[in-house]
Amino acid sequence: MDRVPAGWIRRVVGDPGWTPLLTTAPDPSYPSAHAALSQAAATTLAGLFGARYHLAVTSKGATRTYAGFQEAATEAWLSRLWSGQHTSIDNRAGRQLGVRVADFVAGRL
């Protein structure tokens, strides 16, 4: 169900001196909306156009290129971790939710 490569989280090493890019909001833990939306989009688009569909996105004068939809989705949900807005658990829950929503909708079209 989770289309993120297995074992990637085990390669993450904690850094006790790390601080987020933004002030972490005093919110409870919940599934990341960035992860859910980007994973649902990546799952859907990969189903329509193939997983290795190259794309480029330009925002505020900067262009980012991706080897596939999953790569773009991964960058989106990782941004929430780096900014301190979500934990890895939040991102995983959001990604799983996104895959389930995409699969649910695709199964009813």
Side-chain angles (χ1 to χ4, degrees), residues 34-101:
H34 272 64
L37 291 171
S38 61
Q39 190 62 54
T43 301
T44 301
L45 292 168
L48 292 170
F49 301 107
R52 303 300 300 167
Y53 186 92
H54 292 263
L55 64 145
V57 178
T58 301
S59 176
K60 298 182 181 179
T63 300
R64 306 276 301 146
T65 58
Y66 304 95
F69 298 112
Q70 185 60 58
E71 190 175 291
T74 299
E75 185 172 286
W77 55 257
L78 278 175
S79 73
R80 306 306 284 166
L81 181 67
W82 297 326
S83 69
Q85 301 308 304
H86 284 291
T87 65
S88 293
I89 294 168
D90 299 340
N91 278 335
R92 182 173 178 82
R95 291 190 330 267
Q96 289 175 338
L97 178 60
V99 168
R100 289 182 180 188
V101 167

Side-chain angles (χ1 to χ4, degrees), residues 7 19 35 40:
T19 57

